[in-house]
Amino acid sequence: MNRPRNRGWPLVVPLAALLVVLLVGGACAPRPPSMPVSRPPQVVDLGLLARRLAAMQPGWPAPAPDCRRDRCVALTFDDGPGPHTGRLLDLLRARRARATFFVVGHMVAAGRAGLVRRIAQEGHELGNHTWSHAALTALPDDRLRRELLRTGDLVRRLTGVRMRVMRPPYGMTDGRVARETRRQGMAQILWDVDTRDWRDRDPADVTRRAARASPGSVVLMHDLHRATVRAMTGVLDRLSRRGYRFVTVSELAGGGRRASAAKR
């Protein structure tokens, strides 16, 4: 006896195909435009964006400070380069801080030409601090002239930089020293904040005294001393929290601040 044939089977394929067409067609069918979503206008802080880019990309140039508007301070280092100057440069580079280094000629000549080149290459300013760190007011005219010229010539040969600023050792100056300095195309730079790091080799004391800076201050330190370099993280942190930008003395002067400060 023959079994009856299943007459419903031929309908399965067309119905399944129809279902697929409906599903796919529904997915592909154009959708009605969505209602616009109201969003508040976005305000872009370009300064913040630049700082974030700088943090993400080492070497990204930070915007140049305008010391007529920004809170600027000039960190200055005398008597080097010395055995701790390299570490100091590492700290400044990590914080994108610029400084001014008043170098002594005989220290440069004592096998530290590479450090002087690095100071210039990393955007810091080089200043003349004489050849032998002599008290200029006590020297005859010819030796006063040589103290400045000899250091200036050496730094220029090594780096191509003609120094435009000078600091007299011990802050000792007079009209004669000022005239010779001008004759050699330099400005005298003293200071208004003395950390006394040459006397008190205590990082906490150096940090506390440097933090007394006000907008436009020139801070005196010495890169010869390990304690000074150890203090730099605290100095940079405390002044940064107060909104200071770290600039060279020439940038400070160019931004409308004083070019030199009276010694206290």
Side-chain angles (χ1 to χ4, degrees), residues 64-133:
D66 181 353
C67 294
R68 293 167 297 187
R69 180 193 63 218
D70 298 328
R71 293 166 64 86
C72 293
V73 62
L75 303 179
T76 66
F77 299 92
D78 288 10
D79 296 358
H84 310 297
T85 304
R87 174 58 181 155
L88 173 59
L89 290 169
D90 292 341
L91 293 171
L92 294 172
R93 181 174 58 186
R95 301 293 291 271
R96 294 180 177 83
R98 286 186 289 274
T100 300
F101 289 80
F102 290 97
V103 297
V104 175
H106 79 81
M107 297 293 287
V108 177
R112 296 188 174 98
L115 281 173
V116 174
R117 292 190 186 100
R118 183 180 169 190
I119 289 170
Q121 290 166 357
E122 295 188 2
H124 305 291
E125 183 169 27
L126 285 163
N128 194 324
H129 202 40
T130 75
W131 181 264
S132 65
H133 204 270

Side-chain angles (χ1 to χ4, degrees), residues 7-216:
R7 297 181 181 276
W9 176 252
L11 296 176
V12 172
V13 173
L15 288 173
L18 179 61
L19 180 61
V20 170
V21 169
L22 289 174
L23 290 173
V24 174
C28 297
R31 299 184 180 184
S34 58
M35 294 296 291
V37 178
S38 177
R39 294 186 176 90
Q42 299 296 311
V43 178
V44 178
D45 184 337
L46 295 179
L48 177 61
L49 179 60
R51 289 192 292 274
R52 287 179 175 173
L53 286 171
M56 291 187 294
Q57 303 185 46
W60 183 279
D66 181 353
C67 294
R68 293 167 297 187
R69 180 193 63 218
D70 298 328
R71 293 166 64 86
C72 293
V73 62
L75 303 179
T76 66
F77 299 92
D78 288 10
D79 296 358
H84 310 297
T85 304
R87 174 58 181 155
L88 173 59
L89 290 169
D90 292 341
L91 293 171
L92 294 172
R93 181 174 58 186
R95 301 293 291 271
R96 294 180 177 83
R98 286 186 289 274
T100 300
F101 289 80
F102 290 97
V103 297
V104 175
H106 79 81
M107 297 293 287
V108 177
R112 296 188 174 98
L115 281 173
V116 174
R117 292 190 186 100
R118 183 180 169 190
I119 289 170
Q121 290 166 357
E122 295 188 2
H124 305 291
E125 183 169 27
L126 285 163
N128 194 324
H129 202 40
T130 75
W131 181 264
S132 65
H133 204 270
L136 297 180
T137 54
L139 300 181
D141 290 347
D142 59 341
R143 187 174 168 198
L144 163 60
R145 187 176 304 111
R146 286 199 306 271
E147 282 283 331
L148 297 174
L149 281 175
R150 193 176 178 189
T151 299
D153 289 345
L154 176 60
V155 168
R156 191 171 184 179
R157 287 199 307 270
L158 293 174
T159 67
V161 172
R162 182 175 180 180
M163 294 184 289
R164 298 295 186 182
V165 291
M166 168 271 203
R167 175 169 285 162
Y170 316 106
M172 296 177 64
T173 187
D174 57 17
R176 192 168 57 92
V177 173
R179 284 191 296 274
E180 182 59 39
T181 300
R182 287 194 301 271
R183 189 176 295 117
Q184 296 193 28
M186 294 182 290
Q188 283 194 96
I189 304 296
L190 298 178
W191 60 87
D192 65 311
V193 176
D194 187 351
T195 62
R196 298 186 180 89
D197 59 340
W198 56 271
R199 185 189 69 189
D200 303 325
R201 311 288 178 85
D202 184 337
D205 286 341
V206 175
T207 301
R208 176 175 51 80
R209 290 168 182 155
R212 295 172 180 166
S214 57

